[in-house]
Amino acid sequence: MILKYPQEKDKLSQLKAGDIVEFEGVIYTARDAAHKRIKEYLEQGKELPVDFKDSFIYYAGPTPTKPGHVIGSIGPTTSSRMDPYADMMKDLGVVGTIGKGPRSEECTEKYIENHLLYFVTTGGCGALLSKAVQEAKEIAFLDLGPESIKRLYVKGFKMIVAIDYHKNNLFKGR
Amino acid sequence: MKTIHEEDIINAVSRLCIDACTYLDNSVLSCLKKAKENEQGLAKDIIAQIIENDELAASENIPMCQDTGIAVFFVELGNQVFLDCDLQEAINKGVAKGYTEGYLRKSVVGNPLTRINTKSNTPAIVHIKQTLSDKLKITFCPKGAGSENMSQVKMLTPAQGINGIKDFVLKVVKDAGGRACPPLVVGVGIGGDMEICAKLAKEALIRDIDDEASDPEARKLENELLELINSSDVGPMGLGGKTTALKVKVNLYACHIASLPVAVNLQCHACRHKEVTL
């Protein structure tokens, strides 16, 4: 299924765990260090450099961009390392996250309770996934290098629905 | 006595870093293609994506995976080689050069507590073994954290024996699930002491993907573990299927009468390693 976001926002509620989605729209990269920094900003009452309301987060840190390319290889990293930040991202208005592997039981419950979506992309397919990135801009925490926050515009970005709005979890029992 | 210069080591290491992260060995690709034919549905689709990814990376000269790893080296240094440099330092210079010129991700922090990126992917992890020759053989294995983080060491007792080993290896693979990017190559080190068995497990991963252990008991264990692991239904990316591991590699070493150390080092489907002999 093709999903243009935010134009086809209504389709989000129809997604079922196991569906393969070709996503088109904006996603933000953020992984371990960026999540930690966001938490510190919030604790210190500092204004965040990015408004995450209604956004999708991709747990990824690409390779440096080669000349003539839009972005380097950009596959997913292990999502469960970001499980402790589920509440924080929910409070910031994030719609869904994209990564690889199962979430903890506690995190999965939070996603289900709060209508957060979770998608997986195929780990180790960074070269292939980079082809779906049409625009890329480093927008915050540049000192974190590969872990900085980047705004990506993707088209035909292939991901699998893992946690949907109907309490289904693709990793259940796994 | 043969002299090997620092510059030659730097250039060779730099090339190894780029090649290993870009061009997956055909033998690994063949294993993946065989696994794809054995799968159906989502599992087959995932392995097809992996193959497409690896072929694309090679044709476009870009890294197959964004996690270009911490740089691990196994070095065999001949007794008839004279080096005009500090070997560890020369390797580090080669890593910095390769990771910079090859647009590889620099994923190393200088201190695990303060966590500032060294921006050179150094220091490398270097294991040196002395041999009787006039050669310097360098094997490079970029190790990504997804699979490394799911690896484990356990000190079993002799009474736990083969069954204890099997239970532990299977548990490590199941606990890792999709996080370690299966289909895996599973490196198992048995024997030695705590650190040696971990090193054995890592060294098992740089063996040729198609080889078998020379020790008959280890070979038998490799086959039995592979069957056991592939009946776990973890499957490609942890979403179910017949292919949880492509291969299991068991390396052995002598150990204390009271000990049975076992290490399981997981390797994702990008089983990357390259070697050069100077």
Side-chain angles (χ1 to χ4, degrees):
Chain A
M1 162 200 316
I2 293 173
L3 175 65
K4 284 188 190 176
Y5 185 83
Q7 297 89 328
E8 298 174 335
K9 205 176 169 183
D10 296 348
K11 276 192 184 174
L12 295 179
S13 62
Q14 297 162 26
L15 297 176
K16 289 264 159 58
D19 284 352
I20 295 176
V21 174
E22 287 187 32
F23 186 86
E24 180 177 347
V26 171
I27 56 180
Y28 294 96
T29 66
R31 47 172 291 160
D32 309 64
H35 279 77
K36 185 166 176 273
R37 177 98 36 108
I38 291 167
K39 184 167 180 262
E40 286 162 5
Y41 267 50
L42 292 171
E43 281 167 358
Q44 292 161 11
K46 279 164 85 171
E47 193 186 336
L48 289 177
V50 186
D51 180 5
F52 290 107
K53 192 164 166 27
D54 298 327
S55 68
F56 282 86
I57 303 290
Y58 185 25
Y59 302 136
T63 54
T65 308
K66 266 189 162 180
H69 290 244
V70 177
I71 189 104
S73 293
I74 185 161
T77 196
T78 303
S79 306
S80 57
R81 290 198 314 275
M82 269 55 77
D83 285 354
Y85 302 104
D87 281 331
M88 178 179 88
M89 299 317 271
K90 174 204 71 175
D91 291 343
L92 290 173
V94 166
V95 175
T97 60
I98 308 156
K100 72 172 160 88
R103 313 305 299 255
S104 68
E105 212 170 296
E106 193 188 347
C107 178
T108 303
E109 273 171 29
K110 282 180 182 161
Y111 269 61
I112 288 172
E113 263 172 40
N114 298 295
H115 270 204
L116 279 169
L117 294 165
Y118 174 51
F119 301 85
V120 289
T121 50
T122 303
C125 287
L128 190 61
L129 287 160
S130 75
K131 296 293 152 193
V133 181
Q134 298 198 325
E135 291 166 32
K137 191 165 189 268
E138 209 172 9
I139 54 167
F141 306 155
L142 271 58
D143 60 301
L144 298 180
E147 297 202 68
S148 68
I149 295 179
K150 296 162 189 80
R151 182 186 188 277
L152 311 178
Y153 189 87
V154 299
K155 189 177 178 182
F157 189 76
K158 206 170 171 183
M159 47 197 209
I160 305 167
V161 180
I163 300 175
D164 62 23
Y165 283 166
H166 314 283
K167 302 184 179 179
N168 299 306
N169 170 21
L170 197 56
F171 288 99
K172 193 172 183 179
R174 298 204 159 273
Chain B
M1 194 62 115
K2 180 163 83 179
T3 300
I4 297 179
H5 302 286
E6 182 178 43
E7 201 189 339
D8 295 330
I9 298 172
I10 295 172
N11 289 332
V13 165
S14 165
R15 193 69 249 165
L16 279 181
C17 293
I18 297 170
D19 287 353
C21 292
T22 310
Y23 312 109
L24 191 66
D25 266 1
N26 277 329
S27 52
V28 182
L29 264 177
S30 300
C31 274
L32 286 164
K33 285 176 181 169
K34 223 155 93 187
K36 191 186 94 178
E37 294 316 312
N38 196 28
E39 292 285 7
Q40 51 189 359
L42 196 52
K44 191 178 189 121
D45 190 57
I46 287 169
I47 300 180
Q49 272 185 54
I50 292 169
I51 294 166
E52 188 186 352
N53 176 74
D54 296 344
E55 290 178 341
L56 177 77
S59 69
E60 295 211 2
N61 305 308
I62 54 176
M64 62 192 91
C65 177
Q66 75 290 337
D67 191 347
T68 48
I70 189 164
V72 180
F73 291 86
F74 287 91
V75 179
E76 291 178 26
L77 175 62
N79 63 327
Q80 295 161 57
V81 172
F82 173 75
L83 299 173
D84 71 350
C85 59
D86 177 321
L87 181 54
Q88 185 108 19
E89 206 174 290
I91 289 174
N92 280 333
K93 286 179 186 171
V95 168
K97 180 175 154 74
Y99 274 72
T100 303
E101 292 176 1
Y103 295 88
L104 308 179
R105 197 180 79 187
K106 299 170 190 87
S107 312
V108 173
V109 293
N111 176 319
L113 302 178
T114 52
R115 308 199 71 83
I116 309 290
N117 197 308
T118 60
K119 300 202 161 91
S120 59
N121 217 52
T122 64
I125 291 172
V126 183
H127 304 287
I128 300 171
K129 186 159 80 183
Q130 198 231 296
T131 59
L132 297 174
S133 75
D134 63 351
K135 305 259 190 298
L136 173 66
K137 183 179 169 192
I138 305 173
T139 304
F140 167 62
C141 161
K143 195 64 176 70
S147 55
E148 190 72 3
N149 279 356
M150 297 295 128
S151 302
Q152 292 186 42
V153 179
K154 192 165 186 181
M155 306 305 279
L156 299 180
T157 61
Q160 289 174 289
I162 298 267
N163 286 337
I165 294 170
K166 285 184 182 169
D167 289 348
F168 176 54
V169 175
L170 188 63
K171 186 177 184 316
V172 172
V173 170
K174 280 185 171 174
D175 286 352
R179 297 177 188 91
C181 284
L184 308 166
V185 175
V186 181
V188 182
I190 307 172
D193 57 2
M194 195 180 81
E195 83 278 6
I196 287 294
C197 85
K199 192 175 148 189
L200 286 173
K202 171 80 31 82
E203 210 166 4
L205 298 176
I206 61 166
R207 279 171 44 192
D208 188 304
I209 196 151
D210 291 321
D211 77 355
E212 288 184 312
S214 52
D215 180 277
E217 289 304 315
R219 191 158 64 236
K220 187 164 167 255
L221 190 56
E222 286 179 350
N223 292 327
E224 289 171 359
L225 280 171
L226 183 63
E227 206 183 312
L228 199 62
I229 288 168
N230 281 340
S231 60
S232 68
D233 194 39
V234 170
M237 296 316 295
L239 294 171
K242 297 174 197 157
T243 322
T244 302
L246 299 170
K247 298 282 175 175
V248 177
K249 304 283 180 187
V250 174
N251 280 15
L252 307 178
Y253 196 77
C255 66
H256 191 282
I257 50 173
S259 296
L260 181 57
V262 183
V264 183
N265 198 189
L266 300 181
Q267 168 65 59
C268 63
H269 55 77
C271 188
R272 303 169 287 189
H273 51 87
K274 297 270 183 217
E275 60 184 54
V276 67
T277 301
L278 300 177

